[in-house]
């Protein structure tokens, strides 16, 4: 079991990891060894709270397919084990971010002091600019 938060955990059997060939530099070794890890996790099947599932869908972006699978491709390291751990860490970070419920914003009104400071600043700036004006004094 992977612990996401103190009350949310996912079963490791729900995660599918397949090793594929990595792209990019690496010489002849890159054509022979499958070191990149492709992690697949079915988020729709998991028993996640509805608000967390909505945030997960928004945060995952292109990593989530239309069928509800989260696909993470990890090829940062040269070994399968480190790429596998990197993919699992990235999945847990994504789920942890989705579990965080943002604090709702309450609209506030500017105070009278802040309004007067803003108007004083505008007046001062206006005076500075008007002094630059070249007028012909008769």
């Amino acid at each position: 079991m992977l612990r996401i938060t103190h009350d949310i955990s996912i079963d490791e059997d729900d995660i599918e990891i397949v090793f594929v060939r990595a792209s990019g530099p690496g010489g002849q070794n890159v054509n022979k060894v499958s070191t990149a890890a492709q992690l697949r996790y079915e988020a729709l099947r998991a028993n996640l709270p509805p608000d967390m599932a909505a945030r997960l869908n928004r945060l995952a972006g292109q990593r989530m397919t239309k069928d509800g699978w989260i696909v993470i491709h990890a090829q940062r390291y040269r070994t399968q084990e480190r790429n596998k751990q990197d993919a699992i860490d990235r999945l847990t970070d994504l789920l942890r971010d989705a579990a965080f419920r943002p604090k709702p914003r309450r609209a506030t009104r500017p105070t009278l002091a802040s309004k007067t400071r803003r108007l004083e600043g505008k007046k001062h700036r206006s005076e500075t600019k008007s002094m630059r004006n070249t007028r012909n004094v008769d």
Side-chain angles (χ1 to χ4, degrees), residues 4 49 99:
I4 305 302

Side-chain angles (χ1 to χ4, degrees), residues 10-23:
I10 59 172
D11 192 12
E12 291 185 32
D13 295 335
D14 294 341
I15 298 173
E16 298 175 11
I17 296 180
V18 179
F19 294 103
V20 294
R21 292 199 175 123
S23 63

Side-chain angles (χ1 to χ4, degrees), residues 51-92:
D51 59 335
M52 180 181 168
R55 284 191 299 270
L56 180 63
N57 190 11
R58 184 176 44 82
L59 286 173
Q62 290 183 342
R63 290 176 286 196
M64 184 175 280
T65 64
K66 292 178 183 175
D67 301 334
W69 287 84
I70 294 177
V71 179
I72 296 176
H73 193 76
Q75 61 179 13
R76 192 179 306 174
Y77 301 106
R78 290 178 61 117
T79 62
Q80 285 184 349
E81 216 29 63
R82 289 183 72 184
N83 282 329
K84 176 183 174 184
Q85 191 58 45
D86 182 40
I88 291 172
D89 291 343
R90 285 165 49 191
L91 176 69
T92 55

